[in-house]
Amino acid sequence: SSSSSSSPSSSSSSLMVVVFSLFILISIVASTILGSLTRIRVREWKNEFTLYGNATRSLPNNAKLHFNYGNELAKKGRYKDALSELEKARSIRPAHYLYNLGIMY
C-alpha cells in the first residue's frame, strides 16, 4: 500500500513559508500606514503655531495648549484670537491662567 500524504517535515516547511510570507506582508502594510501617518504628523509639527493649533483641536480641554496657542497667535498680531484662546485656558484652569490673561489686556 502506498501512502499519498506528505512527510511531516514537508508540511512543517510549507507552514513556515506561509507564516513568513504573512509576516512580510503585514510588515509592509504596517510600514506603509505608519509612514503615511508620520508624514501627516510632521506637517502638524512644522512650527509651534501649527503644533499648538492642531493640538488644541485634538485636546480641547488642555489649558496649557490653549495658553501656548494664544501666545503664538499674539506673536502673529492676532490679538482677538489670542484672547479667545487665553480665555479658554482660563476657563479650564482659572487660577493658573488669570495672570497671563491680564497681561494681554
Side-chain angles (χ1 to χ4, degrees):
S1 133
S2 77
S3 172
S4 63
S5 66
S6 58
S7 68
S9 66
S10 175
S11 291
S12 163
S13 177
S14 296
L15 179 60
M16 287 180 65
V17 168
V18 169
V19 168
F20 183 72
S21 298
L22 282 173
F23 173 77
I24 296 296
L25 178 63
I26 290 169
S27 296
I28 290 170
V29 169
S31 295
T32 302
I33 291 170
L34 292 174
S36 296
L37 292 173
T38 299
R39 280 191 295 281
I40 291 168
R41 193 71 173 147
V42 164
R43 279 183 264 157
E44 292 176 359
W45 283 63
K46 180 179 172 184
N47 54 45
E48 290 179 334
F49 180 76
T50 60
L51 172 64
Y52 294 132
N54 286 309
T56 57
R57 286 186 285 282
S58 299
L59 300 166
N61 294 319
N62 187 307
K64 187 171 187 173
L65 291 175
H66 285 288
F67 173 75
N68 290 337
Y69 187 45
N71 285 332
E72 292 301 314
L73 287 163
K75 287 178 190 176
K76 293 186 174 290
R78 295 175 52 187
Y79 299 111
K80 185 176 179 181
D81 294 330
L83 284 173
S84 174
E85 290 301 317
L86 293 175
E87 283 286 352
K88 288 176 189 173
R90 187 198 53 81
S91 71
I92 296 167
R93 291 191 64 198
H96 191 73
Y97 292 104
L98 188 58
Y99 170 78
N100 295 302
L101 184 60
I103 291 173
M104 282 297 294
Y105 281 105

